């Protein structure tokens, strides 16, 4: 028993960190979906602000350590399509009486982060081999998703509704996914500094500060995302128990459950 404790690193492993984030996520979504029915405490929303940064932090770790990055990206894409389809189906066929939107979709955000990290690795590898033509190509590829977003939105009003809905489900767009470009940038920042824990944590603190400055310190509840910092600091670099598919199932399941429950309660 003594040797077992000696082999364990101080802090919390990836499994424990994800479980903490999942619990806080439920509080946050209870506030989002049920505050129109009950007087849900505002602190449910505040503690939920740390969830997205933690999951992005862990997705960066997952991307770095996965043996098959393409398979990891494909798994995220399939999850994003399934969730987007489910959200669209429920929103169209079972709209809430108060028209509160079903917009949750972190799978799409994390998928886009993974795509950008894959391209960054492509750029770094070609810099090492001094293949500057491919380096330039890499930077162009980084811009394509965002450029396509603006192009799509500029013509969206002229598209047949079925094409519009198909694109929204099948093509995650940086400016429309949950958290948008700021969260994608966060994933990139954490990845660029992940080799040095202190620099990574400092980069996150600076990131939050920049958001505050841009918003002129009017960031609202999003300012509470700074409290993800101590949880990131406690991460000991160990994976912990495997939970590859737990989040893939739990995330959409609890979102759809709370959405349907809110419709039932609002209709009473």
């Amino acid at each position: 028993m003594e040797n077992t404790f000696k082999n364990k690193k101080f802090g919390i492993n990836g499994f424990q960190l994800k479980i903490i984030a999942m619990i806080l996520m439920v509080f946050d979504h209870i506030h989002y979906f049920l505050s129109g029915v009950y007087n849900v405490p505002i602190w449910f929303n505040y503690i939920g602000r740390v969830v997205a940064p933690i999951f992005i932090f862990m997705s960066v770790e997952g991307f770095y350590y996965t043996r098959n990055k393409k398979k990891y990206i494909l798994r995220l894409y399939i999850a994003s399509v399934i969730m987007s389809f489910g959200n669209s189906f429920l929103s169209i066929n079972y709209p809430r009486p108060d028209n509160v939107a079903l917009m949750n979709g972190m799978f799409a955000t994390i998928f886009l982060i993974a795509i950008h990290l894959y391209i960054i690795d492509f750029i770094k590898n070609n810099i090492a081999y001094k293949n500057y033509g491919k380096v330039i190509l890499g930077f162009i590829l980084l811009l394509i998703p965002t450029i396509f977003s603006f192009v799509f939105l500029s013509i969206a009003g002229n598209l047949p509704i079925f094409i519009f809905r198909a694109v929204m489900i099948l093509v995650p767009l940086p400016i429309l996914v949950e958290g948008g470009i700021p969260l994608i940038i966060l994933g990139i920042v954490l990845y660029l500094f992940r080799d040095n824990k202190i620099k990574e944590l400092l980069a996150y603190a600076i990131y939050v500060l920049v958001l505050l400055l841009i918003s002129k310190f009017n960031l609202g509840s999003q300012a509470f995302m700074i409290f993800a910092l101590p949880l990131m600091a406690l991460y000991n670099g160990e994976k912990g128990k495997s939970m590859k598919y737990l989040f893939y199932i739990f995330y959409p399941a609890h979102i759809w459950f709370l959405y349907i429950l809110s419709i039932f309660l609002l209709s009473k």
Side-chain angles (χ1 to χ4, degrees):
M1 182 68 71
E2 186 176 339
N3 290 334
T4 300
F5 283 112
K6 283 183 178 180
N7 291 332
K8 289 185 177 180
K9 294 181 181 179
F10 172 79
I12 54 180
N13 60 41
F15 174 81
Q16 294 165 334
L17 186 53
K18 288 178 182 178
I19 291 298
I20 292 170
M22 287 172 66
I23 293 170
L24 297 179
M25 175 176 65
V26 173
F27 278 94
D28 185 34
H29 292 147
I30 287 174
H31 179 271
Y32 180 78
F33 288 109
L34 300 184
S35 59
V37 183
Y38 300 109
N39 186 24
V40 181
I42 188 63
W43 62 264
F44 276 39
N45 174 252
Y46 291 163
I47 63 175
R49 296 309 90 207
V50 307
V51 174
I54 289 174
F55 275 121
I56 290 173
F57 175 77
M58 290 310 303
S59 70
V60 167
E61 290 293 295
F63 178 86
Y64 179 82
Y65 283 112
T66 187
R67 294 179 181 178
N68 192 329
K69 289 179 170 49
K70 291 181 180 178
K71 187 176 180 180
Y72 178 78
I73 291 171
L74 178 61
R75 187 165 63 242
L76 285 169
Y77 175 73
I78 292 172
S80 75
V81 170
I82 292 173
M83 186 151 194
S84 294
F85 177 80
N87 288 353
S88 179
F89 176 83
L90 289 173
S91 298
I92 293 170
N93 295 285
Y94 304 98
R96 274 181 49 141
D98 57 0
N99 295 317
V100 169
L102 184 54
M103 300 293 291
N104 308 80
M106 277 300 294
F107 287 135
T109 307
I110 296 174
F111 162 74
L112 285 174
I113 289 172
I115 286 289
H116 284 75
L117 300 189
Y118 191 85
I119 297 171
I120 287 172
D121 277 352
F122 173 82
I123 292 172
K124 291 166 77 173
N125 289 335
N126 282 287
I127 288 176
Y129 288 106
K130 298 182 180 181
N131 195 335
Y132 298 116
K134 289 187 176 180
V135 171
I136 294 172
L137 174 62
F139 281 108
I140 293 173
L141 291 174
L142 282 177
L143 296 174
I144 286 178
T146 301
I147 292 172
F148 179 79
S149 296
F150 287 106
V151 172
F152 173 73
L153 288 183
S154 68
I155 63 173
N158 299 318
L159 295 174
I161 188 64
F162 74 92
I163 293 180
F164 174 81
R165 288 176 178 170
V167 173
M168 292 296 291
I169 291 172
L170 298 174
V171 186
L173 303 172
I175 61 176
L176 293 180
V177 295
E178 187 172 356
I181 293 176
L183 286 189
I184 295 173
I185 292 174
L186 173 59
I188 294 172
V189 168
L190 292 176
Y191 188 64
L192 292 176
F193 290 97
R194 73 156 306 282
D195 289 336
N196 186 307
K197 188 68 175 287
I198 294 177
K199 289 182 179 179
E200 185 181 23
L201 296 175
L202 181 60
Y204 179 73
I206 293 172
Y207 169 85
V208 177
L209 178 59
V210 169
L211 289 185
L212 284 168
L213 291 173
I214 292 174
S215 68
K216 297 180 180 178
F217 290 88
N218 190 29
L219 202 57
S221 65
Q222 287 298 125
F224 284 83
M225 67 191 299
I226 190 61
F227 291 106
L229 190 63
L231 290 171
M232 293 177 184
L234 284 172
Y235 173 61
N236 61 17
E238 295 183 345
K239 179 180 179 181
K241 294 180 181 179
S242 179
M243 57 173 295
K244 181 184 291 186
Y245 295 106
L246 176 60
F247 180 64
Y248 287 95
I249 297 171
F250 180 80
Y251 179 56
H254 93 281
I255 289 289
W256 296 337
F257 171 78
L258 288 172
Y259 179 79
I260 294 170
L261 177 63
S262 70
I263 293 174
F264 173 76
L265 293 173
L266 285 168
S267 301
K268 289 180 67 177

